[in-house]
Amino acid sequence: MMLLRSDLMTENKQNSNAGNGGDLLKHSAYLALLDELVSREPWHHEIHIVEAHSGKGVYAATSSHLREARQLPDYAASRLGIAQTAAFADPPLGFGAIAGIRDGELPYAGSPVLHAREIMAIPRRTLTLMDRDSAVRKTVACVFSQPSLAVLAPDLRLVDPGGTSEQKVLSALEDSAYLPTSVLHFDPFAFVMSAEDAGIRNDYVKLITPCDELVGRGELAAATLFITWGSNSRAALEDLDGAGYAVG
């Protein structure tokens, strides 16, 4: 069994964004956070990761940022470079090559795969992946059916939030459903770009304070929010304060 390029190519903006500068930063931060947590108790023995916007898990990436990063002298020895190489090692340890990948495309492992591989050695673990796009969930299921991830199958939760992931997480927070060993990752990408996203922005206003408080009290391991990147980052932060793209 091997991954085919056709398994990964649903129509989605994720195809072109995979491996861009924001992805490289985000995934490096995720790996650094996980390294810090699993070096300590109780996370060394138990961790539950929730991704509110999981994405496909594996991409045939075309970003010039990824290509440039791979050419840097320190990339191969970096935390992200090592993790990416391991993800595509020969089976059964990794996925191996993606069949049918085209010139100009590079295999790239997204956060679901990076997290999965990192928590395999932790005795008590779960990985919850939310995405409202059924085609994306189908791709994730295909990726996690590969032999290199089979050991994690009993601990994988692939979730259709039935609306926005933000509302799903808010409900869980209100029900005290998360543990001191839970890690929440939010990656709404560019929700600041449209007036139609006002509801999601309001949800984040409601999410940030309780997450900060729970982490501060030790009732949640960590929570991260990657709003957007590039020229929109300042506007995204301002939108959480009430202005941003809502102005004008």
Side-chain angles (χ1 to χ4, degrees), residues 34-36 42 59 70 79 82 84 95 108 128 158 160 183 188 212-213 221-223 233:
L34 197 53
D35 282 348
E36 181 69 18
Y59 302 88
R70 286 167 54 121
R79 190 66 178 81
I82 291 169
Q84 291 290 332
F95 296 124
Y108 187 76
T128 300
L158 189 53
D160 175 2
V183 179
D212 279 347
E213 291 176 349
S233 58

Side-chain angles (χ1 to χ4, degrees), residues 90-243:
D90 290 338
L93 297 180
F95 296 124
I98 298 176
I101 198 166
R102 297 176 180 175
D103 289 343
E105 295 176 339
L106 294 170
Y108 187 76
S111 53
V113 169
L114 297 178
H115 280 135
R117 295 182 60 85
E118 294 297 320
I119 67 174
M120 282 182 183
I122 297 176
R124 295 184 296 278
R125 71 282 170 107
T126 59
L127 178 59
T128 300
L129 305 176
M130 298 183 186
D131 205 294
R132 63 195 298 182
D133 188 326
S134 61
V136 169
R137 295 196 306 275
K138 181 178 179 181
T139 300
V140 173
C142 177
V143 167
F144 276 81
S145 71
Q146 299 299 302
S148 63
L149 298 181
V151 68
L152 198 71
D155 307 304
L156 177 67
R157 312 285 185 263
L158 189 53
V159 176
D160 175 2
T164 69
S165 297
E166 289 78 12
Q167 283 292 336
K168 186 82 171 178
V169 175
L170 273 170
S171 295
L173 285 170
E174 291 168 357
D175 293 339
S176 301
Y178 297 121
L179 303 169
T181 48
S182 297
V183 179
L184 307 184
H185 287 305
F186 303 104
D187 176 22
F189 188 49
F191 69 72
V192 298
M193 295 301 292
S194 170
E196 297 174 359
D197 293 331
I200 296 178
R201 291 195 291 273
N202 290 335
D203 286 343
Y204 275 98
V205 172
K206 299 174 186 175
L207 278 167
I208 289 174
T209 297
C211 283
D212 279 347
E213 291 176 349
L214 288 169
V215 172
R217 294 198 299 266
E219 297 174 25
L220 188 67
T224 71
L225 171 59
F226 280 82
I227 302 174
T228 185
W229 43 81
S231 60
N232 294 320
S233 58
R234 182 62 255 172
L237 291 172
E238 289 174 354
D239 239 359
L240 284 174
D241 296 329

